[in-house]
Amino acid sequence: MKVAFAIEAGDGLNAQVCPNFGRAPRFLIVDSKDNSTEVLENKAAQEAHGAGTGAAAMISKHGVQAIVAGRFGPKAFDALSAAEIAMYEAPADQTVKTVLVQIQAGTLKKL
Amino acid sequence: MRIAIASGKGGTGKTLIATSLAVHWAKQGKAVTYVDADVEEPNGHLFLRPTFEKTTRHTVPVPRLAGFCDGCAKCQDACAFNAIIALKERVQVFDELCHSCGACVNACPHNSLKLQPRELGDLRHGMAKNINFIDGLLDVGEARATPLIEGVVEAADGELVIIDSPPGASCPAVTAIRGADIAVLITEPTLFGVHDLDLAVQVCQKLNVPPIIVLNRANLGGDMMDAIKATGAPLVAQIDFDPQISVATARGELAIDVVPGFADAIANIADAIVVSEVVS
Amino acid sequence: MKQIVMLSGKGGTGKTSITASLARVATEPKVIVDADVDAANMAILLPGDDEQWRPFFAGTRAVIDYEACINCMTCVWECPFKAIRESKDFRPVVDEFDCEGCGVCGQVCPTNAFSFKPHQAGTWTVRDTKWGPLVHAALNVGEDNSGKLVAQVRQEGRAQAAKTGADYVLIDGPPGIGCPVHAALGGTDLVIAVTEPGVSAQHDLNRLLDLAGWFKIPAAIILNKADLDPKAAQNLLKTAEDKGAKVVAKIPFMPEVPMALSKGIPLIEVPGMQEILGNCWQEIKELV
Ligand code: SF4
Ligand code: SF4
């Protein structure tokens, strides 16, 4: 399974979850098979309007099944639901690693 | 002649003056059209009390899928406003974000997107005595006012068109003032009033519409003459605060009909508009 | 650090004056953020010295490369905003004021003469005031507030709070309920809706409280001009109760208020206001 994380900075599993989905500076995509990672700069964060839908569009192109952020705006929620990407809200100061474990263990609830 | 009545800030007496001017010119036997372009909160009808003869639903085009879609996302890439996203075999459009530009339609390799009308609100035509009356009424909860404003402004033609513009200096005000021959900016002698007046003057300059200023409630508040002068637009008339005007307005009456002396003040403004128009 | 955002839906409810007054009565170290850039009046109410203004970019504008342009005028016909016009010397010219950066001209141009450059939509800065740093922005005329600008001033607000050790960030939010409001709400600790009796205010309040619910942020209400229309006020209070929003202040209509505001006198210098708003601030602090 490929999971995307909204992150503030960094590029590894120790990066911290960003409170915002749409205006997160970048995304970290983790493939849970081998924990390999890929960084995606969030160009939509620089848009005047529609950062949430823009980011959702970008994420959906990358074939991820789930996305983690501190929270999702209403439009981003609609876009991600339509794209059938599972959303998880996680506290902003947690690392990608901790959240990933919770998702795999099924202890973090889907939105 | 098209006259935009505008103000940088709400509550300065814009509608009072716009409706009064309409009545004034109508009394002189001129063919006047009054347009209420403040579609989010139109209240010109409360004073002119028109009988509406025709109401149409105003629409704005938005893309809809009308054919084959393989989720190639060319439309999504073409949209500068993040208003359309491609899913597996369909697209989702976020109407509120869409600017109706059609870039997505052009970009679709299967020619499957069509622009289709989406309703925004009512466009109403009527007569108020011998004044031609047009206004727009944005649907409750609708976020896009600008296309409806464009609609009401375009619906008006005639010798003398008075456009009661929405307040502010952003898109809605710009849309209403654009294309006018002159803009009458109503302000009041307060810090906010003059700050926002300056912005309204800048809008007019950008649009090449010559602005003139009317100072309302001139006897209340402070001395703002220097600040008004600094905007670079001429002050052509002043109206003093008169409680009778407020009382009449609160009752939905036309102050020009019931308050002694107010008709003269309006006549002065009307003359100033005509003179300024000739000069520019 | 607690972030509190003041919202009102439609304008004219007294939100900005009340926010500025709360900034004056609150003695704790704080940062004030003016995200209501459609009526950026906070700077008039809170005097001080501004740092250097910084540019704010949003969207793009079309630029024509005249080396490549063959003057075919296709773009002039196709621009949906009529922003490209033929000049006296028969060239297409982009009007930067009307261009929305949609990119249609780039699609239709046969010689690829178009590029799109970032558009400066305004400026922003930080002001040193007696009541704490004020982050505020000035949009160019004809521009609308955007989620990006709100995000930018809020980010600077948080940075200022971290730098100065402030306990509170007080945000004067944008009007409406759209994109900029979403950006203003996300991640705050309390939403305060400043409302007044009336049909459209009632409607806006509903939407604002629903939005706060969506973001799982507690909400509170300041009811302004509460006594003007007791029945409508009752309806507002009912809405507040149904949606679990606490009423932190009821401000009666006082004729002295518009008078004071028109003379540029701060709200809290109107007799009685100091107490009302002082209590209001205490209640707010308890909520966050
Ligand atoms: S019409 Fe323009 S703004 Fe609307 S979805 Fe298509 S490309 Fe985007
Ligand atoms: S980007 Fe769009 S609005 Fe701007 S000039 Fe090109 S076609 Fe017109």
Side-chain angles (χ1 to χ4, degrees), chain C residues 64-93:
Chain C
I64 300 175
D65 170 6
Y66 288 106
E67 299 277 302
C69 174
I70 52 168
N71 298 333
C72 70
M73 301 300 158
T74 311
C75 54
V76 173
W77 293 111
E78 296 290 334
C79 170
F81 305 102
K82 301 186 187 75
I84 314 183
R85 291 180 276 256
E86 193 173 332
S87 69
K88 288 199 190 82
D89 53 350
F90 309 109
R91 288 163 158 231
V93 177

Side-chain angles (χ1 to χ4, degrees), chain B residues 40-41 78 80-81 96 99 101 103 106-107 140-141 169-171 174 178 190-192 195-196 199 202-203 206-207, chain C residues 10 38 40-41 44-45 80-81 97-98 100-102 104 107-108 141-144 178-179 200 203 207 259 262 264:
Chain B
E40 291 180 69
E41 267 165 299
F81 311 104
E96 208 184 297
H99 288 220
C101 69
N106 296 345
V140 171
S170 58
C171 273
V174 169
R178 174 178 284 141
T190 66
L191 286 174
F192 286 173
H195 171 256
D196 297 346
L199 296 177
Q202 287 180 41
V203 169
K206 289 258 187 190
L207 294 170
Chain C
K10 290 243 167 57
D38 288 47
N41 285 332
I44 301 179
L45 296 172
F81 305 102
F97 191 58
D98 289 339
E100 303 200 10
C102 71
V104 166
Q107 288 179 323
V108 299
V141 297
E143 303 282 349
D144 280 319
C179 189
S200 73
H203 176 259
R207 303 275 301 245
M259 264 315 223
S262 76

Side-chain angles (χ1 to χ4, degrees), chain B residues 63 79 81 83-84 98-104 115:
Chain B
C79 178
F81 311 104
I84 184 165
C98 175
H99 288 220
S100 307
C101 69
C104 53
L115 289 175

Side-chain angles (χ1 to χ4, degrees), chain B residues 118-139:
Chain B
R118 179 173 82 85
E119 295 186 351
L120 295 177
D122 287 340
L123 186 65
R124 307 188 292 186
H125 286 257
M127 289 301 289
K129 294 217 185 91
N130 44 358
I131 300 167
N132 221 327
F133 187 101
I134 300 174
D135 75 358
L137 190 61
L138 196 70
D139 288 348

Side-chain angles (χ1 to χ4, degrees), chain C residues 22-286:
Chain C
L22 287 175
R24 285 170 181 257
V25 290
T27 49
E28 295 82 359
K30 66 194 153 316
V31 174
I32 306 123
V33 173
D34 189 356
D36 180 6
V37 294
D38 288 47
N41 285 332
M42 199 59 91
I44 301 179
L45 296 172
L46 301 175
D49 292 325
D50 287 325
E51 283 174 12
Q52 192 161 359
W53 289 84
R54 282 155 262 187
F56 163 71
F57 291 93
T60 62
R61 291 295 178 263
V63 185
I64 300 175
D65 170 6
Y66 288 106
E67 299 277 302
C69 174
I70 52 168
N71 298 333
C72 70
M73 301 300 158
T74 311
C75 54
V76 173
W77 293 111
E78 296 290 334
C79 170
F81 305 102
K82 301 186 187 75
I84 314 183
R85 291 180 276 256
E86 193 173 332
S87 69
K88 288 199 190 82
D89 53 350
F90 309 109
R91 288 163 158 231
V93 177
V94 178
D95 181 328
E96 282 211 22
F97 191 58
D98 289 339
C99 173
E100 303 200 10
C102 71
V104 166
C105 48
Q107 288 179 323
V108 299
C109 176
T111 64
N112 257 326
F114 281 90
S115 58
F116 297 88
K117 64 150 201 269
H119 167 62
Q120 184 177 341
T123 50
W124 64 276
T125 188
V126 182
R127 170 177 289 196
D128 182 22
T129 82
K130 249 181 26 210
W131 307 276
L134 164 68
V135 185
H136 64 125
L139 276 183
N140 299 342
V141 297
E143 303 282 349
D144 280 319
N145 194 0
S146 71
K148 188 184 177 190
L149 179 56
V150 173
Q152 197 146 338
V153 289
R154 278 194 58 193
Q155 192 185 10
E156 182 61 26
R158 285 194 298 274
Q160 288 289 332
K163 200 168 86 187
T164 58
D167 301 328
Y168 297 96
V169 178
L170 196 57
I171 306 159
D172 190 25
I177 41 162
C179 189
V181 174
H182 296 182
L185 270 177
T188 54
D189 300 281
L190 181 67
V191 175
I192 301 180
V194 182
T195 187
E196 60 180 21
V199 199
S200 73
Q202 170 82 42
H203 176 259
D204 289 348
L205 180 65
N206 264 313
R207 303 275 301 245
L208 283 179
L209 294 182
D210 286 348
L211 206 57
W214 168 270
F215 282 98
K216 303 190 191 79
I217 300 165
I221 284 178
I222 293 178
L223 186 54
N224 198 11
K225 305 176 200 159
D227 48 346
L228 270 194
D229 185 343
K231 221 176 126 220
Q234 219 45 49
N235 288 340
L236 285 170
L237 293 176
K238 176 92 178 41
T239 307
E241 201 187 316
D242 290 349
K243 297 195 188 277
K246 185 154 192 239
V247 179
V248 287
K250 282 187 205 166
I251 305 178
F253 175 75
M254 295 188 244
E256 299 93 312
V257 170
M259 264 315 223
L261 291 179
S262 76
K263 298 214 169 82
I265 298 169
L267 197 56
I268 51 164
E269 282 172 27
V270 173
M273 275 298 174
Q274 177 87 37
E275 197 192 333
I276 295 178
L277 291 166
N279 290 339
C280 175
W281 178 244
Q282 290 308 324
E283 297 242 11
I284 292 171
K285 277 199 298 190
E286 275 168 34

